[in-house]
Amino acid sequence: LSRDHLGQGNPRPPALSHLSRDHLGRPTLLGSPWSVSLSHSYPYAVCALAPRAVGVDVERISPLSVGDFRSVFTPREMAAINDSLWPQSELIRRWTIKEAILKALGLGFLADPLALDTSPREPERLVETKAGPLRWDHLDLAQDFWLSWAILDTER
């Protein structure tokens, strides 16, 4: 994420040498209020740092059975995946969006993924949550990958 995504005037991030894990196994920066999120999918590894809640996910597009994901995607999300010209790509795209948002909320897939529908306000790329509005987007990576990030939207 760049300063454009985070807003101007943010303090410098802490050193990654303070990287640790909390009691749930989430990455944390000891002694820092900054949020950190990690993801990897060979050959990529991604780290997002922000002065507020942030999540990131990177995944390779691979052949998967869309039906196997009914416990992850809402009926509206499943319909969007099935109606897509490229269901495998849409499946992974929506997976990375959902995982980035759930990571930004602090629980990842310890939370119920069906409680989060990423489709209602997709044109604005904004999801309302109990923690506040989360803005998400994609970053260009490579043809066979999706990289999505989500951050608490303090601009609204």
Side-chain angles (χ1 to χ4, degrees), residues 26 37 54-56 72 95-118 129 134 150:
R26 299 175 302 199
S37 182
V54 67
V56 66
V72 175
W95 176 275
T96 63
I97 294 166
K98 187 165 285 212
E99 187 162 356
I101 291 169
L102 291 172
K103 283 180 175 183
L105 290 173
L107 292 176
F109 280 97
L110 293 175
D112 179 9
L114 291 174
L116 173 67
D117 188 338
T118 61
T129 70
L134 284 165

Side-chain angles (χ1 to χ4, degrees), residues 37-41 44-48 56-59 99 103:
S37 182
L38 305 171
S39 183
H40 58 87
S41 182
Y44 297 101
V46 182
C47 176
V56 66
D57 189 42
V58 60
E59 300 288 342
E99 187 162 356
K103 283 180 175 183

Side-chain angles (χ1 to χ4, degrees), residues 1-155:
L1 298 175
S2 70
R3 284 202 176 276
D4 293 337
H5 296 110
L6 297 175
Q8 298 301 320
N10 286 306
R12 294 184 59 81
L16 284 179
S17 60
H18 296 98
L19 189 62
S20 185
R21 296 221 175 251
D22 70 8
H23 68 286
L24 295 174
R26 299 175 302 199
T28 186
L29 292 168
L30 294 176
S32 171
W34 277 63
S35 178
V36 61
S37 182
L38 305 171
S39 183
H40 58 87
S41 182
Y42 182 81
Y44 297 101
V46 182
C47 176
L49 293 171
R52 57 188 182 269
V54 67
V56 66
D57 189 42
V58 60
E59 300 288 342
R60 177 186 294 274
I61 299 168
S62 57
L64 299 168
S65 172
V66 175
D68 290 345
F69 289 83
R70 283 190 175 85
S71 64
V72 175
F73 295 112
T74 67
R76 285 178 17 163
E77 291 169 321
M78 290 296 290
I81 292 166
N82 286 319
D83 293 345
S84 171
L85 292 175
W86 298 282
Q88 297 302 312
S89 180
E90 184 64 9
L91 172 74
I92 299 302
R93 183 180 84 87
R94 287 189 177 272
W95 176 275
T96 63
I97 294 166
K98 187 165 285 212
E99 187 162 356
I101 291 169
L102 291 172
K103 283 180 175 183
L105 290 173
L107 292 176
F109 280 97
L110 293 175
D112 179 9
L114 291 174
L116 173 67
D117 188 338
T118 61
S119 59
R121 298 189 56 196
E122 187 166 331
E124 295 90 13
R125 295 189 165 139
L126 189 71
V127 174
E128 296 293 336
T129 70
K130 290 179 184 178
L134 284 165
R135 184 160 307 280
W136 63 267
D137 207 344
H138 305 294
L139 294 176
D140 290 333
L141 188 59
Q143 181 178 353
D144 294 337
F145 287 84
W146 278 106
L147 189 155
S148 298
W149 58 268
I151 191 164
L152 190 62
D153 188 358
T154 60
E155 304 298 317

